[in-house]
Structures are given as structure tokens and as C-alpha cells.
Amino acid sequence: MKYIKYIIPIFLVSLFLFLRFYNIKNGLFLFNDMGRDLLVLQKWQETGKPPLLGPQTSVMPFNQSAIFYYFLYPFYLFSQGSPFSALLANTFLYLSIYLTGLFVFKKNNQITDTINFCFFLICIHPQYIIQNRFVWNPSLVTPLIFISIFSFYLLLNQYSKIKLWLFSLSLALAISFSYSTIPIFLALFLYWLFFNRKKFFQIFLSFTTSLFVINLPTIIFEIRHNFLLSKNVFINKLTDTTGTSIVNKFSNLSNFTINLPISSVNFYLLILFILLSIIIFLKNYHNRQLQFLISFLFFSTIIFYFILPIPIHSHYIFPLTSTLFLLISNLSFLYK
């Protein structure tokens, strides 16, 4: 049984690779975002000029950080311009963070079990399989969300500069890759505001510094072009406001997050998980352990999905699926 700690990661890595790379030559279509990203990388290689803007969002007339292309570019060069370079970058990010997490917490069975179970859910979740095979900027945020949640929890329990910058950089990167991460950012801030108002200046400074550095190319673009993007946000309306009713949002959220074939099952399962999160929250209200944070983040993230005036698309669900996977992996605390 002593080899079980090696067998499980080997199995999970193999499962992850198989479901992402199986028949990929016949299954990869370079359309929309994927084709656009490859053209940006090709132009960078031809001109030698790095882009200042990342992909434009589908909700508002503003661009993500160019850090997305900066992350992809080394893999594009390594693969000699292969159309699979984004898939290689995505795979590297997920596997490196998963294996690093196991190594860092190898003496803590509770955390390693959580990491293994969450990664198993990532491996088999249909939306993750689809969006890890067809890589676009939101596909990369889940590992960074996990790092930000764990480092946030460790930071609030025992302050250190390493945990502070790990939290700030991971969350800033996640937001810069995709603004769909904003609900989990708001949930983390709300938790800090309600339950642990410590080190505000340090957290604020490190996080804003991280955001500034990561989004520096966008700031340079804005200065060069008289703040064109910022003006567009105020002048133009949201580019996608369809399906923003509460009924449509909950229906899409349940179908994309649970992703079983029967919509009614997805609907009731999401309600069940919401109720479970409330039970875990109340049960652990006084000790404020990891499961307390997770339950709060899961419930709060859902609330922010409904508050924010945006529709729910399949590539917006990663903040919620990340907290859902953590919630499921900690359901055993209900019986303790």
C-alpha cells in the first residue's frame, strides 16, 4: 500500500493526458479564438513585436491582459509554431501545479487527498475536457484559482510574505487571463471583509502591484492611444446581454457546472450543493477551517454570478467549478 501515493498521481496524469490528446489531430479545429490566438503568435514571431493587448472579452469592449499570449509564446516557439502549442501550454500549467501541490503538501494527507480528488474531477468534467482541448484564455484559470484559495487560507492563518505574494500573483494572473474570475475575487474579498480583516495594506499593495505589473502592456497601450479601451467601456454598452434573467442564469449555471445530460438533474443537484454549502458553513462557523472558507466561496460566487449583469456561458463557469470541486472533496466533514 505504500506505493498508492504514486499510483494515484500516475493514473490521474495518464487520464488527463488521454482525454486531452486522444485523436487530437482529427479533433482540433482552429476557429474563432484558437485561430485568432495562433495568428497573434505568428505575427509576434514575424515582426518581433510582442502584443500589448490580450483577447477581447465577449461581454464588454475591453481586452484581457497580453500575459495570455506571453504565456503561450514559449510553447509556440518550442513546438516550432505548432497549432497544438496552446494545448501544450495548458497541459503544462495543469500538470505542473497539480504535481507541485502534491509535493509541497506530501506530509498532509488531508490536503493531498483534496488535491487528488479535485484533479480527478477536472480530468473527467466534460467542460474541462472540451475547453482543455480547445484552449482559450479562460481555460487556464482553474489551477490559479486553486492556488489563490489555498494561499489565501494559509495567509490568513499564518502571515508570511511568500504566501502573500503567492496569493496576489495567482489571483492577479487568473483575473488577467479571464475577467470571468472576478466573482471568485469578490467572494474572497467578502470573506476577508466579514471574517478576517487583517493585513489590509499588505494584501492591497501586493495584489494591486501584481495587477499593475501583469497588465502593464495594456496600460502602455492605453497611454499611447489616449485611453481608447477605457473610453469604449463608458461609451459602448455590454456586447452580450442575452440570457441575463435569473431563470436563464440558473439554468445555464446548473447545466454547464454539473453538465449531466438531463437538465432537471443538473438543476436539483446544484440546489443540493447550495444547501450542502450552507450546512457546512453553519457547522464550521466557529472554527473557520478550510471547509468553512470553501463553503462560503461557493455560495458567494453563485450570488455574484446573479448580481453581475452578464450572461452565463460555458467558459465563465471555472470560478464556480473550482469551488464546487473543493466543496465535494470536503463533504466528509459533514460527518465529523
Side-chain angles (χ1 to χ4, degrees):
M1 295 299 292
K2 66 179 181 178
Y3 296 108
I4 192 72
K5 64 179 181 179
Y6 302 110
I7 294 174
I8 291 177
I10 291 172
F11 167 75
L12 291 178
V13 169
S14 301
L15 180 64
F16 182 91
L17 292 174
F18 174 77
L19 293 176
R20 272 69 184 170
F21 284 91
Y22 173 73
N23 201 29
I24 192 65
K25 289 185 178 180
N26 297 321
L28 183 65
F29 301 96
L30 288 172
F31 62 90
N32 295 345
D33 291 37
M34 289 66 70
R36 173 208 62 198
D37 297 339
L38 188 63
L39 289 174
V40 171
L41 297 176
Q42 288 176 344
K43 185 177 180 180
W44 184 356
Q45 185 180 32
E46 292 170 1
T47 64
K49 297 179 180 179
L52 294 179
L53 297 179
Q56 185 174 353
T57 67
S58 56
V59 173
M60 60 182 178
F62 202 86
N63 290 63
Q64 297 284 164
S65 170
I67 192 69
F68 173 65
Y69 293 129
Y70 299 168
F71 174 71
L72 296 184
Y73 194 57
F75 297 92
Y76 173 82
L77 294 178
F78 174 78
S79 63
Q80 299 180 335
S82 169
F84 304 114
S85 56
L87 179 58
L88 295 175
N90 179 87
T91 301
F92 171 81
L93 181 67
Y94 274 80
L95 294 186
S96 61
I97 291 179
Y98 165 60
L99 296 175
T100 300
L102 291 181
F103 177 78
V104 170
F105 296 104
K106 60 184 176 181
K107 295 182 180 180
N108 190 320
N109 291 332
Q110 176 189 334
I111 294 182
T112 55
D113 288 346
T114 296
I115 292 172
N116 280 325
F117 193 78
C118 286
F119 191 67
F120 171 71
L121 294 175
I122 288 173
C123 287
I124 65 172
H125 193 286
Q127 283 301 326
Y128 276 86
I129 295 171
I130 293 170
Q131 296 186 49
N132 285 168
R133 290 171 69 93
F134 300 92
V135 178
W136 45 5
N137 45 318
S139 308
L140 305 175
V141 302
T142 294
L144 299 170
I145 291 173
F146 279 122
I147 292 176
S148 63
I149 291 174
F150 276 109
S151 56
F152 179 76
Y153 173 73
L154 295 173
L155 176 64
L156 293 184
N157 283 275
Q158 186 177 10
Y159 175 83
S160 74
K161 289 186 177 180
I162 294 177
K163 297 169 188 173
L164 175 66
W165 285 103
L166 187 61
F167 164 72
S168 300
L169 286 170
S170 59
L171 187 57
L173 273 172
I175 294 173
S176 301
F177 277 143
S178 175
Y179 295 139
S180 63
T181 316
I182 288 177
I184 193 69
F185 159 72
L186 295 174
L188 285 165
F189 176 78
L190 202 64
Y191 182 92
W192 176 88
L193 187 65
F194 284 166
F195 303 113
N196 202 326
R197 291 190 293 272
K198 296 179 180 178
K199 305 292 183 181
F200 173 80
F201 178 76
Q202 292 89 333
I203 294 175
F204 175 81
L205 180 61
S206 63
F207 179 68
T208 52
T209 301
S210 300
L211 273 178
F212 176 82
V213 172
I214 292 171
N215 291 276
L216 187 58
T218 304
I219 296 172
I220 294 173
F221 175 89
E222 286 283 76
I223 294 173
R224 281 186 179 180
H225 298 277
N226 197 25
F227 297 94
L228 177 63
L229 294 178
S230 301
K231 289 178 180 178
N232 283 338
V233 171
F234 293 101
I235 295 173
N236 299 318
K237 297 180 179 179
L238 297 177
T239 57
D240 186 358
T241 57
T242 59
T244 54
S245 70
I246 293 178
V247 174
N248 285 333
K249 279 191 172 186
F250 197 90
S251 176
N252 289 337
L253 201 60
S254 61
N255 286 328
F256 291 137
T257 303
I258 309 300
N259 216 192
L260 295 176
I262 304 174
S263 295
S264 58
V265 175
N266 295 331
F267 179 87
Y268 289 115
L269 277 177
L270 185 57
I271 290 178
L272 175 62
F273 285 124
I274 292 173
L275 293 175
L276 287 173
S277 70
I278 295 173
I279 293 172
I280 295 175
F281 176 83
L282 296 175
K283 185 179 178 64
N284 296 276
Y285 185 81
H286 296 291
N287 56 25
R288 310 280 171 86
Q289 296 301 310
L290 179 61
Q291 59 273 21
F292 176 79
L293 170 63
I294 293 168
S295 61
F296 179 87
L297 293 179
F298 175 77
F299 185 80
S300 299
T301 300
I302 290 180
I303 297 300
F304 283 120
Y305 274 119
F306 290 113
I307 293 175
L308 296 173
I310 58 173
I312 305 297
H313 295 303
S314 58
H315 52 291
Y316 293 172
I317 64 167
F318 295 120
L320 186 61
T321 52
S322 301
T323 55
L324 175 62
F325 296 163
L326 287 168
L327 182 75
I328 294 173
S329 68
N330 282 271
L331 287 180
S332 61
F333 285 97
L334 285 172
Y335 306 102
K336 294 184 179 180

